[in-house]
Amino acid sequence: MLDIPSSVRVDVEALLAAQNHMGVCDAIEQYAPVGKPDTMTAPHFPKVAGIDSTVPPPAHTVAPAPPAPAPPSSPGAPGAPGALIQDRLAGWVSDLTTLHELTERLARTAVMDDALHEVLRAGAALVGARRGLVVLEPADGLGPDTTVGLGLARADLGHIETVPRGATSYGRILDRTDGTGEPEVHADLLSEDGLDPRHREVAARLGYAASFALPLATQAAGRLGAAVWLYDEPAEPVERQRHLVGLYTRYATEHLARLLELERARTKSRTIAEELLPPRLPRVAGVQLAARHRTGPRGGGDWYDALPLPEGALGLTVGSVTGSGASAVAAMGRLRASLRAYAVMEGEDPVAVLSDLELLLRLTEPARSATALFAYCEPALRKVVMAGAGHSPPLVIGERRTEFVETSLSAPLGMLACWEAPSVEFSPEPGETVLLYTDGLLHRTGDPMDRAFARLHAAAAGVPRTIRDDPGAIADHVLHTVLPDGLDAADSDEDVVLLAARFE
C-alpha cells in the first residue's frame, strides 16, 4: 500500500466543496467544453453529485489507461504521489459534476423537441464541437421520425439529407443490423479516401471538416436514432471526451424513450378525439359554418357538432364532459352520438333535447357531469332558439354590436336530480356571426373568469371588418387574440372548441 504523508492526504468532502465553490456549475451554464486533464478516468468512480459511480463505460468507449507511475520524489514536489492522486480526484469530481449538471438540464425537458435540442447542445460541449444534428428514427418503425439541427438552418439540413443515406454517419448507424453501438468517427472528411462525392460537396458547402456520431440506443430502450456533431476543422474527440459523451447519451436515450412513449400516447388520444368529432361541417342554405378544436395532451371531453334537421333547420351544439383521458373521450363520444339522435327527434325544443341528454348521463355516467348548449336554427328566418346547461353564453358578432346572448343560469347536466331551464330566442341580423365555444377557451387564459370574459369580448369586438364575412377567419382571430403567444397550441389540460355560424 502506498504510504501518503499526512500533509498531502486528500479530504474528498473538502475537495467536493471546493469544486462547487470554484464555479464549475457556472461554467456549465455556458456549455463550455470540459477541460480537465486526460487522466480523469478510473475503473470505479466515487459516487459524487448524484451520479452512480458504478455505471460501467458504454460498449463503444474505453476508459483511458491510468498514467505510468511517477518516480519517487519528495512529498512537496509536483510529481509526488499525493499530488497525482489529488489531480485525479479533481478530474473525477469535475467530470461527474459536469455530467450531473447536463443530465439535470435534460431531465427538466418535457417535450421531445426540447429534449433533442438539449442533447445536441450538451453533446457539443462534451466533444468540443460547434454544430450537429439528431436524427430520431425509432427502430420499431412507429415514429415519429424527425431531424433536429444545432447551428444548422432548415436549408442546411436539407442539403445534408441529399447525401445518400449509406454515405452519412447517421445512415450507417441507423442501418446497422448487428446491434453494435460503435461510434462513427471521421477526423478529416475532405481528405478521406472513398468519401461519397455528394458528401464531400455538402461538407465543403456547409463548412465542416470532421464529424463524430453516436447511436442513441440502449438495451432497454432499443435504437431511437443517432446524433452527429460536426467540427469546422479536422479533429476528433479524445478518449476522455468519448467516455463522457457516451455516458451522457446512455442517460439521454432512456429519457428520450420515456418522452417518446408519452408522445405516442398523446397522439393516439388526440386521434381518437378527432375521429369522434365531425369530419366535416354540413352545408346549409343561409348559413356558413366553421369550427376550431384544440385537444389537450391527455385528451379531453369537449365536443362540437352541426347537423342538418328537417325543413331546412340546423342544430348547433357544443359541450364538455368532466375529466380527461381516454375515459372522458369515450364518454364524450357517447353523449354526442345520443344528442344527435335527440336533436333529430325533437330538435325544435332545445330544452327537451338537453333533458333527454341529462337523463341518459345520470343513467349511464353517474360519476360524471357535463355542460352543454344546443341551438335550433332556422336560417331562412334568421331565428335561433337555444338552451344551455351550465354552459357559457354564446357571442353575437356583427357590424353594429358585439354582445353575449342573455341565457338563464342553469346547473350542468348530472348535478341535480332533475335538470330543467328555460330556452331563449334571438334573431341575428344579416352578416352577423354567432360564436359558440367551450370553457377551455377561458380557462387557458389563466385569468379569473370575469377578466377572461372581458378578454373574449374585446377580441370579438376587434375582429377586422375585412374578415367579418368569413366565419373561419373570425374564429381564428378570436382564438389567437384570447390565447396569444402560442397558448392555443401549448400543452394544457383544457380542450378548446369554437363553432362559428354566420347568417346571410
Side-chain angles (χ1 to χ4, degrees), residues 241-271:
Q241 291 174 316
R242 295 191 193 189
H243 185 63
L244 281 175
V245 76
L247 291 173
Y248 177 80
T249 54
R250 286 185 62 188
Y251 174 85
T253 301
E254 298 292 340
H255 181 71
L256 293 175
R258 292 189 289 270
L259 292 182
L260 180 63
E261 183 178 358
L262 181 60
E263 179 66 23
R264 288 176 175 177
R266 290 175 175 177
T267 301
K268 290 179 181 178
S269 181
R270 284 193 296 265
T271 301

PDB file of all heavy atoms in Angstrom, residues 241-271:
ATOM      1  N   GLN A 241     -13.159  12.470 -23.672  1.00  0.00           N
ATOM      2  CA  GLN A 241     -14.382  13.091 -24.172  1.00  0.00           C
ATOM      3  C   GLN A 241     -15.375  12.047 -24.675  1.00  0.00           C
ATOM      4  O   GLN A 241     -16.582  12.146 -24.453  1.00  0.00           O
ATOM      5  CB  GLN A 241     -14.039  14.080 -25.284  1.00  0.00           C
ATOM      6  CG  GLN A 241     -13.299  15.318 -24.813  1.00  0.00           C
ATOM      7  CD  GLN A 241     -12.864  16.195 -25.973  1.00  0.00           C
ATOM      8  OE1 GLN A 241     -12.359  15.713 -26.996  1.00  0.00           O
ATOM      9  NE2 GLN A 241     -13.062  17.496 -25.820  1.00  0.00           N
ATOM     10  N   ARG A 242     -14.865  11.016 -25.346  1.00  0.00           N
ATOM     11  CA  ARG A 242     -15.754   9.956 -25.826  1.00  0.00           C
ATOM     12  C   ARG A 242     -16.427   9.248 -24.663  1.00  0.00           C
ATOM     13  O   ARG A 242     -17.615   8.881 -24.741  1.00  0.00           O
ATOM     14  CB  ARG A 242     -14.952   8.949 -26.661  1.00  0.00           C
ATOM     15  CG  ARG A 242     -14.364   9.504 -27.941  1.00  0.00           C
ATOM     16  CD  ARG A 242     -13.852   8.365 -28.797  1.00  0.00           C
ATOM     17  NE  ARG A 242     -13.014   8.841 -29.892  1.00  0.00           N
ATOM     18  CZ  ARG A 242     -12.580   8.073 -30.892  1.00  0.00           C
ATOM     19  NH1 ARG A 242     -12.880   6.782 -30.895  1.00  0.00           N
ATOM     20  NH2 ARG A 242     -11.840   8.568 -31.845  1.00  0.00           N
ATOM     21  N   HIS A 243     -15.655   9.040 -23.608  1.00  0.00           N
ATOM     22  CA  HIS A 243     -16.216   8.342 -22.456  1.00  0.00           C
ATOM     23  C   HIS A 243     -17.334   9.161 -21.816  1.00  0.00           C
ATOM     24  O   HIS A 243     -18.407   8.639 -21.496  1.00  0.00           O
ATOM     25  CB  HIS A 243     -15.105   8.071 -21.438  1.00  0.00           C
ATOM     26  CG  HIS A 243     -15.549   7.244 -20.271  1.00  0.00           C
ATOM     27  ND1 HIS A 243     -15.993   5.946 -20.409  1.00  0.00           N
ATOM     28  CD2 HIS A 243     -15.621   7.540 -18.946  1.00  0.00           C
ATOM     29  CE1 HIS A 243     -16.316   5.469 -19.210  1.00  0.00           C
ATOM     30  NE2 HIS A 243     -16.097   6.416 -18.311  1.00  0.00           N
ATOM     31  N   LEU A 244     -17.118  10.463 -21.653  1.00  0.00           N
ATOM     32  CA  LEU A 244     -18.128  11.317 -21.059  1.00  0.00           C
ATOM     33  C   LEU A 244     -19.380  11.408 -21.915  1.00  0.00           C
ATOM     34  O   LEU A 244     -20.500  11.287 -21.419  1.00  0.00           O
ATOM     35  CB  LEU A 244     -17.555  12.721 -20.832  1.00  0.00           C
ATOM     36  CG  LEU A 244     -16.669  12.919 -19.603  1.00  0.00           C
ATOM     37  CD1 LEU A 244     -16.100  14.332 -19.602  1.00  0.00           C
ATOM     38  CD2 LEU A 244     -17.443  12.653 -18.339  1.00  0.00           C
ATOM     39  N   VAL A 245     -19.215  11.632 -23.213  1.00  0.00           N
ATOM     40  CA  VAL A 245     -20.388  11.762 -24.070  1.00  0.00           C
ATOM     41  C   VAL A 245     -21.111  10.422 -24.203  1.00  0.00           C
ATOM     42  O   VAL A 245     -22.332  10.370 -24.377  1.00  0.00           O
ATOM     43  CB  VAL A 245     -20.000  12.335 -25.452  1.00  0.00           C
ATOM     44  CG1 VAL A 245     -19.326  11.290 -26.333  1.00  0.00           C
ATOM     45  CG2 VAL A 245     -21.223  12.906 -26.160  1.00  0.00           C
ATOM     46  N   GLY A 246     -20.376   9.321 -24.080  1.00  0.00           N
ATOM     47  CA  GLY A 246     -21.025   8.017 -24.097  1.00  0.00           C
ATOM     48  C   GLY A 246     -21.914   7.809 -22.890  1.00  0.00           C
ATOM     49  O   GLY A 246     -23.044   7.315 -22.998  1.00  0.00           O
ATOM     50  N   LEU A 247     -21.425   8.191 -21.697  1.00  0.00           N
ATOM     51  CA  LEU A 247     -22.253   8.101 -20.501  1.00  0.00           C
ATOM     52  C   LEU A 247     -23.481   8.995 -20.612  1.00  0.00           C
ATOM     53  O   LEU A 247     -24.589   8.614 -20.235  1.00  0.00           O
ATOM     54  CB  LEU A 247     -21.429   8.488 -19.271  1.00  0.00           C
ATOM     55  CG  LEU A 247     -20.326   7.523 -18.841  1.00  0.00           C
ATOM     56  CD1 LEU A 247     -19.500   8.153 -17.726  1.00  0.00           C
ATOM     57  CD2 LEU A 247     -20.901   6.199 -18.394  1.00  0.00           C
ATOM     58  N   TYR A 248     -23.268  10.186 -21.152  1.00  0.00           N
ATOM     59  CA  TYR A 248     -24.389  11.125 -21.270  1.00  0.00           C
ATOM     60  C   TYR A 248     -25.454  10.612 -22.243  1.00  0.00           C
ATOM     61  O   TYR A 248     -26.652  10.683 -21.959  1.00  0.00           O
ATOM     62  CB  TYR A 248     -23.874  12.493 -21.732  1.00  0.00           C
ATOM     63  CG  TYR A 248     -24.987  13.497 -21.948  1.00  0.00           C
ATOM     64  CD1 TYR A 248     -25.560  14.158 -20.875  1.00  0.00           C
ATOM     65  CD2 TYR A 248     -25.463  13.759 -23.226  1.00  0.00           C
ATOM     66  CE1 TYR A 248     -26.590  15.067 -21.067  1.00  0.00           C
ATOM     67  CE2 TYR A 248     -26.491  14.657 -23.428  1.00  0.00           C
ATOM     68  CZ  TYR A 248     -27.054  15.313 -22.350  1.00  0.00           C
ATOM     69  OH  TYR A 248     -28.075  16.196 -22.545  1.00  0.00           O
ATOM     70  N   THR A 249     -25.046  10.105 -23.391  1.00  0.00           N
ATOM     71  CA  THR A 249     -26.025   9.648 -24.385  1.00  0.00           C
ATOM     72  C   THR A 249     -26.788   8.423 -23.908  1.00  0.00           C
ATOM     73  O   THR A 249     -27.933   8.215 -24.311  1.00  0.00           O
ATOM     74  CB  THR A 249     -25.344   9.351 -25.731  1.00  0.00           C
ATOM     75  OG1 THR A 249     -24.259   8.429 -25.532  1.00  0.00           O
ATOM     76  CG2 THR A 249     -24.842  10.624 -26.381  1.00  0.00           C
ATOM     77  N   ARG A 250     -26.175   7.611 -23.048  1.00  0.00           N
ATOM     78  CA  ARG A 250     -26.927   6.489 -22.480  1.00  0.00           C
ATOM     79  C   ARG A 250     -28.089   6.996 -21.647  1.00  0.00           C
ATOM     80  O   ARG A 250     -29.217   6.519 -21.761  1.00  0.00           O
ATOM     81  CB  ARG A 250     -26.011   5.610 -21.631  1.00  0.00           C
ATOM     82  CG  ARG A 250     -25.050   4.746 -22.417  1.00  0.00           C
ATOM     83  CD  ARG A 250     -24.272   3.812 -21.499  1.00  0.00           C
ATOM     84  NE  ARG A 250     -25.156   2.895 -20.790  1.00  0.00           N
ATOM     85  CZ  ARG A 250     -24.753   2.092 -19.815  1.00  0.00           C
ATOM     86  NH1 ARG A 250     -23.496   2.122 -19.416  1.00  0.00           N
ATOM     87  NH2 ARG A 250     -25.606   1.279 -19.230  1.00  0.00           N
ATOM     88  N   TYR A 251     -27.819   7.971 -20.798  1.00  0.00           N
ATOM     89  CA  TYR A 251     -28.892   8.546 -19.998  1.00  0.00           C
ATOM     90  C   TYR A 251     -29.901   9.253 -20.907  1.00  0.00           C
ATOM     91  O   TYR A 251     -31.120   9.135 -20.710  1.00  0.00           O
ATOM     92  CB  TYR A 251     -28.326   9.537 -18.978  1.00  0.00           C
ATOM     93  CG  TYR A 251     -29.398  10.281 -18.216  1.00  0.00           C
ATOM     94  CD1 TYR A 251     -29.972   9.721 -17.082  1.00  0.00           C
ATOM     95  CD2 TYR A 251     -29.841  11.528 -18.646  1.00  0.00           C
ATOM     96  CE1 TYR A 251     -30.968  10.394 -16.386  1.00  0.00           C
ATOM     97  CE2 TYR A 251     -30.844  12.200 -17.958  1.00  0.00           C
ATOM     98  CZ  TYR A 251     -31.397  11.635 -16.830  1.00  0.00           C
ATOM     99  OH  TYR A 251     -32.395  12.300 -16.173  1.00  0.00           O
ATOM    100  N   ALA A 252     -29.408  10.000 -21.898  1.00  0.00           N
ATOM    101  CA  ALA A 252     -30.300  10.746 -22.790  1.00  0.00           C
ATOM    102  C   ALA A 252     -31.234   9.802 -23.541  1.00  0.00           C
ATOM    103  O   ALA A 252     -32.407  10.118 -23.759  1.00  0.00           O
ATOM    104  CB  ALA A 252     -29.483  11.578 -23.772  1.00  0.00           C
ATOM    105  N   THR A 253     -30.733   8.661 -23.958  1.00  0.00           N
ATOM    106  CA  THR A 253     -31.570   7.711 -24.686  1.00  0.00           C
ATOM    107  C   THR A 253     -32.729   7.228 -23.825  1.00  0.00           C
ATOM    108  O   THR A 253     -33.869   7.122 -24.297  1.00  0.00           O
ATOM    109  CB  THR A 253     -30.735   6.520 -25.163  1.00  0.00           C
ATOM    110  OG1 THR A 253     -29.681   7.000 -26.013  1.00  0.00           O
ATOM    111  CG2 THR A 253     -31.583   5.534 -25.951  1.00  0.00           C
ATOM    112  N   GLU A 254     -32.472   6.934 -22.556  1.00  0.00           N
ATOM    113  CA  GLU A 254     -33.543   6.500 -21.664  1.00  0.00           C
ATOM    114  C   GLU A 254     -34.583   7.605 -21.479  1.00  0.00           C
ATOM    115  O   GLU A 254     -35.790   7.345 -21.452  1.00  0.00           O
ATOM    116  CB  GLU A 254     -32.967   6.081 -20.307  1.00  0.00           C
ATOM    117  CG  GLU A 254     -32.014   4.894 -20.365  1.00  0.00           C
ATOM    118  CD  GLU A 254     -32.740   3.607 -20.740  1.00  0.00           C
ATOM    119  OE1 GLU A 254     -33.973   3.546 -20.582  1.00  0.00           O
ATOM    120  OE2 GLU A 254     -32.062   2.669 -21.203  1.00  0.00           O
ATOM    121  N   HIS A 255     -34.114   8.833 -21.351  1.00  0.00           N
ATOM    122  CA  HIS A 255     -35.043   9.959 -21.200  1.00  0.00           C
ATOM    123  C   HIS A 255     -35.864  10.153 -22.471  1.00  0.00           C
ATOM    124  O   HIS A 255     -37.081  10.373 -22.408  1.00  0.00           O
ATOM    125  CB  HIS A 255     -34.252  11.225 -20.870  1.00  0.00           C
ATOM    126  CG  HIS A 255     -35.113  12.431 -20.661  1.00  0.00           C
ATOM    127  ND1 HIS A 255     -35.927  12.590 -19.564  1.00  0.00           N
ATOM    128  CD2 HIS A 255     -35.295  13.541 -21.428  1.00  0.00           C
ATOM    129  CE1 HIS A 255     -36.575  13.748 -19.646  1.00  0.00           C
ATOM    130  NE2 HIS A 255     -36.202  14.347 -20.771  1.00  0.00           N
ATOM    131  N   LEU A 256     -35.222  10.083 -23.620  1.00  0.00           N
ATOM    132  CA  LEU A 256     -35.950  10.222 -24.885  1.00  0.00           C
ATOM    133  C   LEU A 256     -36.969   9.105 -25.073  1.00  0.00           C
ATOM    134  O   LEU A 256     -38.044   9.328 -25.633  1.00  0.00           O
ATOM    135  CB  LEU A 256     -34.960  10.245 -26.052  1.00  0.00           C
ATOM    136  CG  LEU A 256     -34.026  11.458 -26.141  1.00  0.00           C
ATOM    137  CD1 LEU A 256     -33.027  11.266 -27.269  1.00  0.00           C
ATOM    138  CD2 LEU A 256     -34.823  12.738 -26.338  1.00  0.00           C
ATOM    139  N   ALA A 257     -36.635   7.905 -24.617  1.00  0.00           N
ATOM    140  CA  ALA A 257     -37.576   6.786 -24.734  1.00  0.00           C
ATOM    141  C   ALA A 257     -38.845   7.058 -23.936  1.00  0.00           C
ATOM    142  O   ALA A 257     -39.953   6.747 -24.379  1.00  0.00           O
ATOM    143  CB  ALA A 257     -36.916   5.486 -24.284  1.00  0.00           C
ATOM    144  N   ARG A 258     -38.691   7.638 -22.750  1.00  0.00           N
ATOM    145  CA  ARG A 258     -39.874   7.970 -21.954  1.00  0.00           C
ATOM    146  C   ARG A 258     -40.706   9.052 -22.628  1.00  0.00           C
ATOM    147  O   ARG A 258     -41.947   8.970 -22.656  1.00  0.00           O
ATOM    148  CB  ARG A 258     -39.439   8.420 -20.554  1.00  0.00           C
ATOM    149  CG  ARG A 258     -38.842   7.306 -19.712  1.00  0.00           C
ATOM    150  CD  ARG A 258     -38.631   7.753 -18.278  1.00  0.00           C
ATOM    151  NE  ARG A 258     -37.557   8.716 -18.151  1.00  0.00           N
ATOM    152  CZ  ARG A 258     -36.292   8.407 -17.934  1.00  0.00           C
ATOM    153  NH1 ARG A 258     -35.929   7.140 -17.824  1.00  0.00           N
ATOM    154  NH2 ARG A 258     -35.381   9.342 -17.809  1.00  0.00           N
ATOM    155  N   LEU A 259     -40.057  10.072 -23.164  1.00  0.00           N
ATOM    156  CA  LEU A 259     -40.791  11.122 -23.867  1.00  0.00           C
ATOM    157  C   LEU A 259     -41.462  10.576 -25.122  1.00  0.00           C
ATOM    158  O   LEU A 259     -42.579  10.999 -25.470  1.00  0.00           O
ATOM    159  CB  LEU A 259     -39.846  12.269 -24.240  1.00  0.00           C
ATOM    160  CG  LEU A 259     -39.277  13.095 -23.086  1.00  0.00           C
ATOM    161  CD1 LEU A 259     -38.397  14.211 -23.630  1.00  0.00           C
ATOM    162  CD2 LEU A 259     -40.400  13.676 -22.229  1.00  0.00           C
ATOM    163  N   LEU A 260     -40.806   9.638 -25.792  1.00  0.00           N
ATOM    164  CA  LEU A 260     -41.384   9.051 -26.994  1.00  0.00           C
ATOM    165  C   LEU A 260     -42.662   8.284 -26.661  1.00  0.00           C
ATOM    166  O   LEU A 260     -43.673   8.395 -27.380  1.00  0.00           O
ATOM    167  CB  LEU A 260     -40.362   8.124 -27.656  1.00  0.00           C
ATOM    168  CG  LEU A 260     -40.807   7.415 -28.935  1.00  0.00           C
ATOM    169  CD1 LEU A 260     -41.099   8.418 -30.028  1.00  0.00           C
ATOM    170  CD2 LEU A 260     -39.744   6.424 -29.387  1.00  0.00           C
ATOM    171  N   GLU A 261     -42.626   7.517 -25.596  1.00  0.00           N
ATOM    172  CA  GLU A 261     -43.818   6.771 -25.193  1.00  0.00           C
ATOM    173  C   GLU A 261     -44.957   7.723 -24.843  1.00  0.00           C
ATOM    174  O   GLU A 261     -46.113   7.492 -25.218  1.00  0.00           O
ATOM    175  CB  GLU A 261     -43.483   5.884 -23.998  1.00  0.00           C
ATOM    176  CG  GLU A 261     -44.633   5.002 -23.542  1.00  0.00           C
ATOM    177  CD  GLU A 261     -44.249   4.095 -22.391  1.00  0.00           C
ATOM    178  OE1 GLU A 261     -43.063   4.123 -21.979  1.00  0.00           O
ATOM    179  OE2 GLU A 261     -45.114   3.367 -21.905  1.00  0.00           O
ATOM    180  N   LEU A 262     -44.640   8.807 -24.152  1.00  0.00           N
ATOM    181  CA  LEU A 262     -45.652   9.790 -23.790  1.00  0.00           C
ATOM    182  C   LEU A 262     -46.207  10.472 -25.033  1.00  0.00           C
ATOM    183  O   LEU A 262     -47.427  10.674 -25.152  1.00  0.00           O
ATOM    184  CB  LEU A 262     -45.048  10.817 -22.836  1.00  0.00           C
ATOM    185  CG  LEU A 262     -45.979  11.925 -22.337  1.00  0.00           C
ATOM    186  CD1 LEU A 262     -47.158  11.343 -21.584  1.00  0.00           C
ATOM    187  CD2 LEU A 262     -45.212  12.904 -21.462  1.00  0.00           C
ATOM    188  N   GLU A 263     -45.346  10.826 -25.972  1.00  0.00           N
ATOM    189  CA  GLU A 263     -45.789  11.490 -27.196  1.00  0.00           C
ATOM    190  C   GLU A 263     -46.701  10.587 -28.006  1.00  0.00           C
ATOM    191  O   GLU A 263     -47.715  11.037 -28.566  1.00  0.00           O
ATOM    192  CB  GLU A 263     -44.564  11.898 -28.022  1.00  0.00           C
ATOM    193  CG  GLU A 263     -44.892  12.593 -29.336  1.00  0.00           C
ATOM    194  CD  GLU A 263     -45.545  13.944 -29.139  1.00  0.00           C
ATOM    195  OE1 GLU A 263     -45.360  14.546 -28.055  1.00  0.00           O
ATOM    196  OE2 GLU A 263     -46.243  14.383 -30.057  1.00  0.00           O
ATOM    197  N   ARG A 264     -46.380   9.314 -28.075  1.00  0.00           N
ATOM    198  CA  ARG A 264     -47.246   8.385 -28.810  1.00  0.00           C
ATOM    199  C   ARG A 264     -48.606   8.251 -28.155  1.00  0.00           C
ATOM    200  O   ARG A 264     -49.636   8.186 -28.841  1.00  0.00           O
ATOM    201  CB  ARG A 264     -46.556   7.025 -28.915  1.00  0.00           C
ATOM    202  CG  ARG A 264     -45.382   7.001 -29.874  1.00  0.00           C
ATOM    203  CD  ARG A 264     -44.687   5.647 -29.862  1.00  0.00           C
ATOM    204  NE  ARG A 264     -43.635   5.570 -30.866  1.00  0.00           N
ATOM    205  CZ  ARG A 264     -42.841   4.519 -31.027  1.00  0.00           C
ATOM    206  NH1 ARG A 264     -42.982   3.458 -30.234  1.00  0.00           N
ATOM    207  NH2 ARG A 264     -41.907   4.532 -31.964  1.00  0.00           N
ATOM    208  N   ALA A 265     -48.628   8.193 -26.823  1.00  0.00           N
ATOM    209  CA  ALA A 265     -49.913   8.098 -26.124  1.00  0.00           C
ATOM    210  C   ALA A 265     -50.760   9.342 -26.367  1.00  0.00           C
ATOM    211  O   ALA A 265     -51.973   9.250 -26.583  1.00  0.00           O
ATOM    212  CB  ALA A 265     -49.672   7.897 -24.632  1.00  0.00           C
ATOM    213  N   ARG A 266     -50.117  10.508 -26.345  1.00  0.00           N
ATOM    214  CA  ARG A 266     -50.855  11.743 -26.610  1.00  0.00           C
ATOM    215  C   ARG A 266     -51.396  11.767 -28.035  1.00  0.00           C
ATOM    216  O   ARG A 266     -52.535  12.191 -28.273  1.00  0.00           O
ATOM    217  CB  ARG A 266     -49.947  12.949 -26.379  1.00  0.00           C
ATOM    218  CG  ARG A 266     -49.588  13.204 -24.923  1.00  0.00           C
ATOM    219  CD  ARG A 266     -48.593  14.344 -24.808  1.00  0.00           C
ATOM    220  NE  ARG A 266     -48.322  14.670 -23.420  1.00  0.00           N
ATOM    221  CZ  ARG A 266     -47.438  15.588 -23.031  1.00  0.00           C
ATOM    222  NH1 ARG A 266     -46.739  16.255 -23.944  1.00  0.00           N
ATOM    223  NH2 ARG A 266     -47.251  15.826 -21.746  1.00  0.00           N
ATOM    224  N   THR A 267     -50.602  11.326 -28.978  1.00  0.00           N
ATOM    225  CA  THR A 267     -51.037  11.312 -30.367  1.00  0.00           C
ATOM    226  C   THR A 267     -52.237  10.399 -30.555  1.00  0.00           C
ATOM    227  O   THR A 267     -53.202  10.744 -31.259  1.00  0.00           O
ATOM    228  CB  THR A 267     -49.877  10.870 -31.275  1.00  0.00           C
ATOM    229  OG1 THR A 267     -48.783  11.771 -31.116  1.00  0.00           O
ATOM    230  CG2 THR A 267     -50.307  10.855 -32.740  1.00  0.00           C
ATOM    231  N   LYS A 268     -52.206   9.230 -29.939  1.00  0.00           N
ATOM    232  CA  LYS A 268     -53.344   8.315 -30.046  1.00  0.00           C
ATOM    233  C   LYS A 268     -54.595   8.920 -29.445  1.00  0.00           C
ATOM    234  O   LYS A 268     -55.686   8.814 -30.021  1.00  0.00           O
ATOM    235  CB  LYS A 268     -53.010   6.995 -29.347  1.00  0.00           C
ATOM    236  CG  LYS A 268     -51.970   6.148 -30.066  1.00  0.00           C
ATOM    237  CD  LYS A 268     -51.676   4.871 -29.287  1.00  0.00           C
ATOM    238  CE  LYS A 268     -50.605   4.037 -29.990  1.00  0.00           C
ATOM    239  NZ  LYS A 268     -50.280   2.814 -29.210  1.00  0.00           N
ATOM    240  N   SER A 269     -54.441   9.559 -28.297  1.00  0.00           N
ATOM    241  CA  SER A 269     -55.595  10.173 -27.650  1.00  0.00           C
ATOM    242  C   SER A 269     -56.172  11.287 -28.502  1.00  0.00           C
ATOM    243  O   SER A 269     -57.403  11.398 -28.659  1.00  0.00           O
ATOM    244  CB  SER A 269     -55.199  10.703 -26.272  1.00  0.00           C
ATOM    245  OG  SER A 269     -56.296  11.276 -25.614  1.00  0.00           O
ATOM    246  N   ARG A 270     -55.301  12.128 -29.082  1.00  0.00           N
ATOM    247  CA  ARG A 270     -55.790  13.201 -29.953  1.00  0.00           C
ATOM    248  C   ARG A 270     -56.474  12.636 -31.179  1.00  0.00           C
ATOM    249  O   ARG A 270     -57.515  13.146 -31.619  1.00  0.00           O
ATOM    250  CB  ARG A 270     -54.629  14.111 -30.365  1.00  0.00           C
ATOM    251  CG  ARG A 270     -54.159  15.062 -29.284  1.00  0.00           C
ATOM    252  CD  ARG A 270     -53.257  16.128 -29.865  1.00  0.00           C
ATOM    253  NE  ARG A 270     -52.047  15.569 -30.393  1.00  0.00           N
ATOM    254  CZ  ARG A 270     -50.907  15.483 -29.736  1.00  0.00           C
ATOM    255  NH1 ARG A 270     -50.848  15.891 -28.487  1.00  0.00           N
ATOM    256  NH2 ARG A 270     -49.834  14.974 -30.294  1.00  0.00           N
ATOM    257  N   THR A 271     -55.916  11.574 -31.750  1.00  0.00           N
ATOM    258  CA  THR A 271     -56.510  10.980 -32.943  1.00  0.00           C
ATOM    259  C   THR A 271     -57.901  10.442 -32.655  1.00  0.00           C
ATOM    260  O   THR A 271     -58.845  10.642 -33.433  1.00  0.00           O
ATOM    261  CB  THR A 271     -55.615   9.852 -33.478  1.00  0.00           C
ATOM    262  OG1 THR A 271     -54.315  10.387 -33.777  1.00  0.00           O
ATOM    263  CG2 THR A 271     -56.206   9.234 -34.727  1.00  0.00           C
TER     264      THR A 271
END
